[in-house]
Amino acid sequence: MLARSIYKNSAILAAFALLSIGLIAVFHFFTKDKIAAEMQAKLARTLNELVPANQYNNDVYHDCLELDSNGLLAQKELTRFYRMYQDETPVASIFTVNAPDGYSGNIELIVGIYADQSLAGVRVINHNETPGLGDKIEKQKSDWILQFEGLSLTKVEAENWRVKKDGGTFDAFTGATITPRAVLKAIANALQYFKNNQQIIFTSSKNCGVNHEST
Amino acid sequence: MSQPDYGDISKNGLWHNNPALVQLLGLCPLLAVSNTLINGLGLGIATTMVLVGSNISVSFVRHWIPKEIRIPVFVMMIASFVTNTQLLMNAFTYELYLVLGIFIPLIVTNCTIIGRAEAFASKNGIIPSFIDGLMQGIGFSTVLVLLGALREFMGQGTLFAGADQLFGEWASVLTIHLYQVDQSFLFALLPPGAFFALGLLIAGKNIIDKRLQSRAHQTTQVTSAKPEVS
């Protein structure tokens, strides 16, 4: 009697599990193309904000390279480099850098650097800094992050990529020193890494991107 | 079985048994996501969708589920609805999906949903369950939106900031800058402010209830014309 009710209940549970999974599968099937398109559009918006689309003519979403930065870009995993070319001539590369020493942990940045080693721009893509204080690194909140465009290690030497309080070139903003300090350090690291590895970044054949992910 | 009164179900969801103000359920997403009006509205809509879906389907299958396994079955159905809602938001409101992030899958832990499935939908027909889900959802969303508006207004002096994330590009014109702040009022934006604002809302509701009650009391006194004895 007990065994029978266990069988019956298990069967009902299994049936509902299948039904739930089936429903999710149906939704997944109908939304997956739209989701992929949205993600690519978002990536395109981010990339074009740093390096305008009229400066290059390669298919950048399918041209990316994953490299191990050996911790210099402070990422545990491989760093993904998107590469822009104008008729085979390298124009710029965009990649993510992590600033691990923010006030509340990691600050993820996306950095665009032109082939002449000057910054195309920097944006924060993910952070947990205090709202109202540290979050002025967001472009929506303050212009602070925009001041780096065009700068390079030749214009501002590596040891000057610090806040003024630490003897560097850049202003911190009211109420926060640790956050800008971390961001500046990460940008300097990115510039240094790019300077040392520019050849590899632009000449290696691609090893990731939309086409590769499906295989 | 007596016909359930839809008016009562609606009043319960919206006011007398409001999930956020009276049952105090689902506070985790309520407090975490209500920092702007649009965030609150987005999560409110998502939660309402899940509530309506789970209430209807629980009510639909209520006679076939043995009561020993009803909870796992409900949880499974709710989880499925939450995942589907997440997929839909990912596809159609991508920016908002990024903002709400972890709080969309966390709808599954919102006790309002399993609570309504267990307390109402598993005992009532499909249409009353639909109404109950909808009204509880709207009740929850209203509080989320109010709380979001209050915190956004006090914290950064705007309303409808980020409307384009929910409705598309054209909606960015909806953003209202009520006053300019150099330094946003952190207390309102951070979680403690959320507790405080929710407390104020609950207090407000209790005051209104008390007023209504004493008025009703007075009316009965007048009609029965009894002398007051204190």
Side-chain angles (χ1 to χ4, degrees), chain A:
Chain A
M1 191 61 207
L2 181 68
R4 249 182 71 195
S5 89
I6 291 177
Y7 283 139
K8 191 180 152 227
N9 286 351
S10 312
I12 293 176
L13 260 181
F16 274 101
L18 281 177
L19 198 75
S20 305
I21 295 168
L23 206 61
I24 293 173
V26 169
F27 272 80
H28 172 70
F29 180 78
F30 284 111
T31 53
K32 68 173 196 273
D33 292 336
K34 176 83 175 133
I35 291 173
E38 286 287 334
M39 287 172 81
Q40 180 151 339
K42 169 80 180 168
L43 177 66
R45 280 198 297 276
T46 316
L47 296 183
N48 286 339
E49 211 183 309
L50 295 178
V51 179
N54 56 16
Q55 296 188 2
Y56 60 90
N57 59 7
N58 66 318
D59 183 8
V60 65
Y61 318 110
H62 301 128
D63 195 340
C64 80
L65 172 72
E66 284 186 338
L67 289 175
D68 189 352
S69 69
N70 291 320
L72 188 66
L73 302 176
Q75 281 159 329
K76 288 191 192 83
E77 293 155 19
L78 298 173
T79 308
R80 179 173 284 202
F81 293 82
Y82 286 96
R83 304 172 297 175
M84 284 97 165
Y85 301 89
Q86 176 80 31
D87 301 329
E88 313 284 301
T89 317
V91 173
S93 175
I94 292 182
F95 54 97
T96 53
V97 195
N98 183 20
D101 37 14
Y103 189 73
S104 326
N106 291 335
I107 303 171
E108 264 183 78
L109 304 166
I110 185 162
V111 174
I113 304 180
Y114 284 117
D116 66 356
Q117 299 180 358
S118 70
L119 276 170
V122 184
R123 293 290 181 277
V124 173
I125 46 179
N126 202 357
H127 75 88
N128 298 310
E129 302 304 291
T130 321
L133 296 173
D135 70 349
K136 293 198 187 88
I137 50 175
E138 287 176 33
K139 189 195 156 202
Q140 290 89 331
K141 304 270 162 70
S142 149
D143 290 341
W144 189 81
I145 201 79
L146 300 177
Q147 64 178 307
F148 304 108
E149 272 158 45
L151 296 182
S152 62
L153 288 179
T154 15
K155 285 189 182 151
V156 179
E157 282 174 38
E159 63 267 27
N160 289 330
W161 281 88
R162 295 179 190 177
V163 291
K164 280 190 177 147
K165 203 174 179 181
D166 298 344
T169 307
F170 301 98
D171 280 318
F173 33 73
T174 326
T177 313
I178 295 171
T179 309
R181 189 183 278 157
V183 171
L184 287 168
K185 195 170 143 194
I187 298 173
N189 282 347
L191 284 167
Q192 192 65 51
Y193 184 86
F194 185 82
K195 194 177 168 187
N196 298 344
N197 298 284
Q198 194 171 359
Q199 279 298 321
I200 303 170
I201 292 170
F202 282 121
T203 53
S204 306
S205 53
K206 65 182 177 189
N207 62 3
C208 57
V210 183
N211 287 343
H212 274 263
E213 270 156 13
S214 57
T215 56

Side-chain angles (χ1 to χ4, degrees), chain B residues 51-115:
Chain B
L51 250 172
V52 169
S54 79
N55 258 15
I56 291 177
S57 44
V58 163
S59 166
F60 185 67
V61 300
R62 69 187 190 280
H63 297 304
W64 302 324
I65 305 172
K67 79 172 192 313
E68 302 85 31
I69 56 162
R70 68 185 192 287
I71 300 290
V73 170
F74 292 168
V75 169
M76 215 142 54
M77 287 162 73
I78 294 166
S80 155
F81 276 107
V82 170
T83 310
N84 292 333
T85 306
Q86 187 184 3
L87 286 171
L88 286 176
M89 289 187 77
N90 195 342
F92 296 104
T93 57
Y94 187 69
E95 294 284 334
L96 190 72
Y97 169 81
L98 293 181
V99 173
L100 295 181
I102 185 69
F103 291 103
I104 303 170
L106 275 182
I107 293 174
V108 83
T109 65
N110 187 330
C111 308
T112 315
I113 296 162
I114 184 99

